[in-house]
C-alpha cells in the first residue's frame, strides 16, 4: 500500500512531555512504526510540560517529519492558552465525542478557531448499552443500517473526524460503509436529545485524575 494512502496518528504520553523527552519519544515511535514521516502527532493529555513538547513538535513539523500537530483532551481554555502562547496552533483536538457526550459548544469553539474536532470513543466504547439504544436502533432500522453506522454517519455529517476501533475485519468494513445514506434533520434532532453533556469516562479537570494519570507510566 502506498504510504500516502495511509494516515497515521500517534500520541505523546504525559511522562514524555518536555522538549528533550518529546524528541526522544517521537524517535521511539517512528522506529516502532517504521515510518519516515508521521501524519499527525498529538499531545495525549493537557498535563506536564506541554509547552516544551510543543516547541519540539513545532520543530519536527517545520522539518517535515510530522505533517500536522495537535492535541487531545484539551478543553477550550487549554486550547486558547496554546493558541495565544505558541507560533503554530493545533490542527486537531481529539476529544471524547459520541451520542451521550456531543461536545456541541466545544465543537463551535474549535471551528471558530480553525481547529478540527476528532472524536475518540465514537461508540462510547459500548457503554450505556449504546448499540441497543432505542432511538439509535429506530433510526438504523429506518435506513437499513446498523447503529454503529448511524453513529459514524451522524458524526461525519457534523464534520467530526471519526476513528472507530475494532479488532474485527467485518466490523471495520461495516464502519467504512457509511457513504450511501444520509440522516435527515429529524434523525439529527432525535440523536441531539441523547446528549448528557458529560463524560462517560472521567473529568479531565478532576485533580485526582490529573494526579493518577500523571503517575501512570504510559497509556495507550
Ligand atoms: N485520546 C484519547 O485520550 C483516547 C481515549 C480513548 C480512545 N482513543 C482512541 O479512540 C479510538 C476509538 O476507540 P475506542 O476504543 O475509544 O472506542 P470506540 O470506537 O467507541 O469503541 C470500540 C468498541 O466498539 C466495538 N465495535 C467497533 N465497531 C463495532 C461495530 N460496527 N458494531 C459493534 N461494535 C463495534 C469494538 O469491539 P471489537 O473491537 O470487538 O469490534 C470495541 O469494543 C482509538 O483509536 C483509540 O486509540 C483515544
Amino acid at each position: 500500500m502506498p504510504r500516502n494512502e495511509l494516515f497515521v496518528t500517534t500520541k505523546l504520553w504525559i511522562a514524555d512531555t518536555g522538549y528533550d523527552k518529546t524528541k526522544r519519544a517521537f524517535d521511539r515511535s517512528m522506529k516502532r512504526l517504521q515510518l519516515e514521516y508521521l501524519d499527525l502527532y498529538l499531545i495525549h493529555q493537557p498535563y506536564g510540560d506541554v509547552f516544551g513538547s510543543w516547541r519540539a513538535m513545532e520543530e519536527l513539523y517545520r522539518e517535515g517529519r510530522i505533517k500536522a500537530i495537535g492535541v487531545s483532551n484539551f478543553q477550550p481554555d487549554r486550547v486558547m492558552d496554546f493558541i495565544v502562547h505558541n507560533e503554530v496552533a493545533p490542527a486537531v483536538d481529539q476529544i471524547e465525542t459520541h451520542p451521550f457526550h456531543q461536545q456541541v459548544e466545544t465543537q463551535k469553539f474549535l471551528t471558530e478557531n480553525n481547529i478540527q474536532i476528532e472524536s475518540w470513543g465514537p461508540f462510547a466504547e459500548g457503554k450505556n448499552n449504546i448499540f441497543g439504544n432505542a432511538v439509535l436502533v429506530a433510526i438504523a432500522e429506518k435506513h437499513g443500517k446498523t447503529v454503529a453506522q448511524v453513529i459514524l454517519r451522524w458524526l461525519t455529517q457534523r464534520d467530526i473526524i471519526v476513528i472507530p476501533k475494532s479488532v474485527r475485519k467485518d466490523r471495520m468494513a461495516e464502519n467504512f460503509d457509511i457513504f450511501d445514506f444520509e440522516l435527515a434533520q429529524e434523525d439529527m434532532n432525535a440523536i441531539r436529545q441523547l446528549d448528557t453533556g458529560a463524560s462517560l469516562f472521567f473529568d479531565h479537570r478532576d485533580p485526582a485524575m490529573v494526579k493518577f494519570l500523571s503517575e501512570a507510566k504510559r497509556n495507550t
Side-chain angles (χ1 to χ4, degrees):
M1 180 177 273
R3 172 67 182 88
N4 64 7
E5 287 182 20
L6 289 172
F7 190 97
V8 182
T9 305
T10 194
K11 306 189 292 274
L12 178 85
W13 186 240
I14 305 163
D16 293 320
T17 57
Y19 180 88
D20 291 329
K21 285 200 265 180
T22 297
K23 289 263 173 118
R24 283 200 292 274
F26 176 75
D27 284 341
R28 268 201 312 273
S29 289
M30 297 303 279
K31 219 170 169 184
R32 283 199 209 106
L33 290 165
Q34 299 176 36
L35 293 177
E36 285 180 7
Y37 72 87
L38 188 69
D39 296 283
L40 178 63
Y41 200 32
L42 302 175
I43 295 182
H44 199 151
Q45 306 285 351
Y47 317 136
D49 181 9
V50 290
F51 283 91
S53 293
W54 199 253
R55 296 280 107 78
M57 290 164 69
E58 284 177 331
E59 279 180 18
L60 293 162
Y61 167 70
R62 289 198 177 101
E63 288 163 11
R65 297 194 66 202
I66 311 174
K67 299 295 176 195
I69 53 178
V71 294
S72 179
N73 300 308
F74 276 47
Q75 302 204 14
D77 61 317
R78 297 292 85 226
V79 172
M80 184 50 82
D81 197 22
F82 246 49
I83 293 172
V84 171
H85 296 287
N86 287 308
E87 284 174 14
V88 179
V92 168
D93 190 6
Q94 184 186 106
I95 49 173
E96 177 190 348
T97 312
H98 48 71
F100 305 125
H101 193 17
Q102 301 193 5
Q103 303 279 16
V104 174
E105 287 306 313
T106 299
Q107 180 179 14
K108 193 165 167 278
F109 166 82
L110 292 172
T111 305
E112 281 167 5
N113 287 284
N114 208 19
I115 295 169
Q116 176 63 48
I117 177 173
E118 177 171 72
S119 149
W120 69 253
F123 305 138
E125 297 184 2
K127 282 180 189 279
N128 265 15
N129 187 29
I130 195 165
F131 296 110
N133 180 276
V135 171
L136 298 173
V137 168
I139 295 171
E141 283 173 357
K142 190 170 86 179
H143 290 278
K145 288 292 198 179
T146 65
V147 165
Q149 290 169 325
V150 166
I151 294 169
L152 297 177
R153 181 74 209 183
W154 165 74
L155 287 162
T156 303
Q157 282 186 213
R158 286 182 58 203
D159 295 323
I160 296 174
I161 292 177
V162 290
I163 48 163
K165 174 252 155 196
S166 180
V167 295
R168 286 174 42 170
K169 200 173 170 186
D170 57 331
R171 285 181 174 169
M172 289 181 200
E174 176 187 328
N175 294 345
F176 275 119
D177 184 20
I178 60 162
F179 298 105
D180 61 350
F181 77 114
E182 193 167 348
L183 296 175
Q185 194 55 50
E186 61 175 18
D187 300 327
M188 300 296 282
N189 293 344
I191 298 172
R192 181 76 189 89
Q193 304 310 312
L194 301 179
D195 193 8
T196 65
S199 170
L200 285 190
F201 298 87
F202 62 86
D203 178 0
H204 279 84
R205 290 205 180 109
D206 174 1
M209 273 320 290
V210 179
K211 187 166 188 286
F212 173 78
L213 287 174
S214 297
E215 286 170 359
K217 223 176 153 244
R218 198 163 267 128
N219 207 333
T220 50

